[in-house]
Amino acid sequence: MGNTPMGDDLSAPGTVTTETGTILARPTNLDPGVAIVESDGRRPDATGTKGTKGTGKAMAAMGFSQAVDNSEGGLITTFFPLIGAAFGIGEGMLGLLSAISKFARMIFGPFWAMMADKYGRKKILILVTGVWGLWTVAAGFAPNFTWLLILYAISVVGTVASEPIINGLLPDLFKQSQRGKAYGTIRAIGAGVGILLGPAIGLFARGDDPSPDAWRYAMWTMGAISILSGVLIAMWVRDPRQNTACDDMMAEAGTFKISDGVKLFKIPTIYLMAGMVVLVTSLVLLAFYPNFLVVERGLSVFETTLTMSCFSIGAVFSAFLGGRLADLFVRKYGEKGRIMLMQIYLVSFAATVAIATQLPYEGFGAAAPITFLLGLVFSIGFSGCVLPMVSNVVPTQLNATAFAMLFSLIQGGVTALMALGLGFVAEAFSSQTMFLWFVVVPYLLNALYWTLFYRVYPRDVERQQERSDQVAAGSF
C-alpha cells in the first residue's frame, strides 16, 4: 500500500469494500495483524460530524435498567441466609446459584445480541428487562429449592442481556464527541440507583427476627421493578436502526472472533494477562461476602444490604482514584508505573480482604467502615492498570476481542467454576478459611506474578505505537 493516504481509493490486493465500509488487508511483515475499518455505512455519524440526539429520559431508563439487572444477582446472595433457612441448604448451594449467573453471562450474552440483530434492540430490551421480570416474580413462589434453582436460572438468562445491548445502542443515540459522557452517565445512574435499591429491598428483612418469607417479598418486588424498567424503556428509548447489536456488543457479553483471539496471543502482555486473571478471585469474594457477614459477623440481612451499599460507594470512588493514581505513576515512572501500581494494589487488596475476613469483629458498626475500605481499594488495579494496559498493546480494532477473551471467557469461566466448588469448601470448613486461601493468597501470588510484566509491557506499548503511527501515516 506504500504511503497511500487513508482517504484515497485503495486497490491493494486483499482490500474488501462492502455496504458497511472498507477493510484494508494487513501487511504480512507486522504481527499481530489489524483490520482497519475506513468507513462504516451503518453509522453515518461515526466521525462525530453528524450526531443523533439522545435524551435524558432515555439515559435514565437505560441506567435504571442496568441497576435493576445488576441488583438481581446481589439479591440472591444477600438473602441467602433466609433462603438457606427456608429450604435447609448450606453454602454449597450458594456457590451453585452464583455460578449459574456467571455461566449465563458467558453463554447467553451473545445469544441475546443476535436476537437483537434479528428483531430489534428496543424490542429485545423490553423483553429481557421488562417482561422477563415475571420469572423473578415466579421465583418468589418457589415451593422448594429445586424449583427456586430452575426459576432463578431462567430469570438470570434475561438479566445478562441489557448491558451489552445498551452499550451497542448508545453509539447510535449520541455522536462520537458525546459518547464518553453518555457511557459514564449510564454507569453513574446505574451505580446510584443500585446503591439505594439494595437497602430498600432489604427493608423486608429488617429486625433481628425477620419474616421467613422476606426473601419472597424481595423477589416479587425486584420482579415488579424489572417490569417497570421495561415500561420506561418502551416509553423513553428509541432505536435509530434495527441491526448490528451483535457487532456492537461490548466485551462484557463475551463476543469475539476465534481467529482474532488466537492472534492476540502473539502479544506477550496478553498471554501474561491470561495467566493473571486466573489469580483475580475478587468475584468469588463478592459472591460469598454478604452471607459471611450474616453467618460469621452477626449482621442481620437488612444490615448486610446497608453494608454492601457502603462497598458500592467505595467502589465508585475507587474507579476514579485508580485512573488518577495510574496517570500519576505513568508521569513519574513511565509505562512501568502501571505495573508498579498494580503490584501495590494487589498487596493492598489482599491486606484489606484479610482485615475484613480474618480479624475478629462483630456488628454493623465495625463491618460498614471495613467494607467501605474494601470497596475503596477494589477497583484501583483494573481501572488504572489492567484495562488501560490491554488497550495500549492491542490494535484498536481488536480491543473488544481482547476484553472478551480475557475477562468474559477466561476469567468468567474460571470464576464460575470456582464459585461452584468453593461454596462446598466454605460449608466444610468456614467462609473465613475459604477467603484466606482462595482470595488473600492468590492476590499475594499475583503481586509476584506481575514482576514478569516489567520486561514485556513497555516493549509491547512501543510496538503498538509504531503500528498506530503507520496507520495514521497511511503506510499500514
Side-chain angles (χ1 to χ4, degrees):
M1 288 185 284
N3 294 318
T4 306
M6 293 292 289
D8 291 351
D9 181 29
L10 296 166
S11 57
T15 298
V16 178
T17 300
T18 70
E19 63 179 1
T20 64
T22 302
I23 300 175
L24 312 183
R26 69 172 178 88
T28 58
N29 62 333
L30 287 171
D31 282 314
V34 53
I36 305 168
V37 179
E38 183 186 33
S39 61
D40 190 346
R42 297 168 304 191
R43 188 172 294 155
D45 65 316
T47 61
T49 58
K50 179 181 178 183
T52 56
K53 278 191 175 182
T55 67
K57 287 183 177 180
M59 295 181 70
M62 290 187 288
F64 186 74
S65 171
Q66 285 198 359
V68 171
D69 289 349
N70 291 337
S71 297
E72 283 195 40
L75 177 69
I76 204 77
T77 59
T78 302
F79 280 84
F80 184 79
L82 297 179
I83 295 172
F87 297 129
I89 56 175
E91 286 182 285
M93 294 299 102
L94 172 58
L96 177 59
L97 289 168
S98 179
I100 285 173
S101 65
K102 292 173 176 59
F103 280 126
R105 180 172 294 275
M106 290 176 57
I107 297 169
F108 287 98
F111 168 79
W112 285 119
M114 288 187 287
M115 292 298 99
D117 281 352
K118 186 173 182 178
Y119 298 107
R121 292 172 296 186
K122 181 176 177 177
K123 291 179 182 178
I124 296 300
L125 273 178
I126 294 171
L127 172 64
V128 297
T129 301
V131 178
W132 212 267
L134 292 171
W135 289 110
T136 304
V137 174
F141 289 100
N144 52 52
F145 183 71
T146 300
W147 271 107
L148 175 63
L149 198 63
I150 294 171
L151 293 170
Y152 176 72
I154 296 173
S155 71
V156 296
V157 164
T159 297
V160 303
S162 69
E163 186 169 8
I165 295 177
I166 287 173
N167 284 338
L169 182 59
L170 277 177
D172 287 333
L173 296 177
F174 298 90
K175 61 184 180 181
Q176 190 178 44
S177 61
Q178 297 176 332
R179 289 171 195 165
K181 180 180 178 181
Y183 279 115
T185 302
I186 290 289
R187 289 183 179 272
I189 293 172
V193 173
I195 289 170
L196 297 175
L197 193 58
I201 297 294
L203 288 171
F204 290 118
R206 189 174 183 179
D208 295 330
D209 187 23
S211 167
D213 290 327
W215 68 272
R216 297 185 186 273
Y217 305 146
M219 286 283 189
W220 296 334
T221 303
M222 184 61 76
I225 294 174
S226 182
I227 294 171
L228 172 62
S229 72
V231 173
L232 295 180
I233 287 175
M235 293 191 304
W236 292 345
V237 176
R238 61 187 178 85
D239 187 355
R241 59 192 172 101
Q242 301 296 322
N243 61 352
T244 72
C246 191
D247 295 333
D248 289 336
M249 188 170 57
M250 298 293 284
E252 290 86 349
T255 180
F256 63 94
K257 295 180 180 179
I258 294 296
S259 58
D260 287 344
V262 173
K263 192 181 303 179
L264 288 172
F265 277 99
K266 296 179 181 180
I267 305 174
T269 295
I270 296 302
Y271 65 67
L272 286 181
M273 285 284 184
M276 179 277 299
V277 296
V278 175
L279 296 172
V280 176
T281 54
S282 54
L283 296 180
V284 173
L285 170 73
L286 295 181
F288 292 94
Y289 188 67
N291 190 67
F292 164 81
L293 292 175
V294 174
V295 175
E296 300 194 31
R297 290 297 179 258
L299 275 67
S300 68
V301 172
F302 175 64
E303 288 174 333
T304 298
T305 62
L306 294 176
T307 303
M308 293 311 296
S309 286
C310 292
F311 175 89
S312 298
I313 294 170
V316 171
F317 286 110
S318 180
F320 287 103
L321 181 64
R324 282 152 183 76
L325 279 176
D327 290 343
L328 178 64
F329 271 68
V330 170
R331 284 197 298 268
K332 190 171 180 62
Y333 302 107
E335 293 299 339
K336 292 182 178 180
R338 295 190 194 275
I339 305 172
M340 296 170 63
L341 177 60
M342 186 65 182
Q343 289 181 301
I344 294 172
Y345 155 74
L346 290 167
V347 174
S348 299
F349 190 72
T352 309
V353 173
I355 291 172
T357 63
Q358 305 302 308
L359 293 184
Y361 66 88
E362 287 190 3
F364 175 76
I370 289 175
T371 304
F372 172 78
L373 178 63
L374 195 64
L376 193 60
V377 179
F378 177 71
S379 293
I380 289 175
F382 265 69
S383 62
C385 305
V386 175
L387 300 181
M389 286 174 66
V390 172
S391 295
N392 288 345
V393 301
V394 171
T396 303
Q397 289 75 12
L398 299 181
N399 269 340
T401 297
F403 288 130
M405 182 179 67
L406 290 172
F407 307 121
S408 292
L409 180 64
I410 298 177
Q411 187 184 28
V414 169
T415 301
L417 292 173
M418 287 185 67
L420 193 59
L422 291 184
F424 296 102
V425 173
E427 189 174 348
F429 299 96
S430 68
S431 294
Q432 191 174 30
T433 301
M434 184 268 290
F435 288 140
L436 175 62
W437 290 105
F438 291 95
V439 182
V440 176
V441 171
Y443 264 75
L444 293 176
L445 292 175
N446 211 355
L448 294 175
Y449 179 88
W450 268 76
T451 304
L452 300 175
F453 285 90
Y454 283 108
R455 182 176 180 181
V456 302
Y457 173 65
R459 186 173 56 195
D460 287 341
V461 172
E462 290 181 4
R463 288 174 176 172
Q464 175 53 29
Q465 186 58 53
E466 290 175 2
R467 287 190 287 266
S468 298
D469 291 343
Q470 290 174 342
V471 169
S475 59
F476 181 66

